[in-house]
Amino acid sequence: MYFLYFDPGLGTMIAQATIAVVAGVALFSKTIMYKIKSFLGIHKKEDDFYDSIDEVEEKENTKENESNIK
């Protein structure tokens, strides 16, 4: 069976479906690996940039309060 005409719309649909399948498999595998690492305790705790700023401010406030008490 030979296709004599390949519709551009069909080609676009096939390309879109291929990209969707690849993206779906990538996200699914990433989620599964994250759950497995979390279950085994291998997952690294990532430092959040905004939390680190809050921690620095809290430490500075604590030091100021301690110096005011003395």
Side-chain angles (χ1 to χ4, degrees):
M1 177 177 207
Y2 296 101
F3 293 103
L4 298 177
Y5 177 71
F6 192 72
D7 185 23
L10 179 65
T12 303
M13 188 174 71
I14 291 171
Q16 182 180 4
T18 304
I19 291 170
V21 167
V22 170
V25 168
L27 289 174
F28 180 73
S29 64
K30 185 177 179 180
T31 303
I32 293 298
M33 289 303 296
Y34 178 78
K35 287 183 179 181
I36 290 172
K37 286 181 179 179
S38 295
F39 179 74
L40 296 175
I42 300 172
H43 180 67
K44 292 181 182 177
K45 182 180 178 185
E46 296 179 7
D47 294 332
D48 189 12
F49 180 73
Y50 296 109
D51 285 340
S52 65
I53 290 173
D54 293 338
E55 291 176 4
V56 170
E57 289 179 358
E58 289 177 5
K59 288 180 183 177
E60 290 176 356
N61 290 337
T62 305
K63 288 180 183 178
E64 288 177 5
N65 289 339
E66 289 176 357
S67 65
N68 289 338
I69 293 174
K70 293 180 182 178

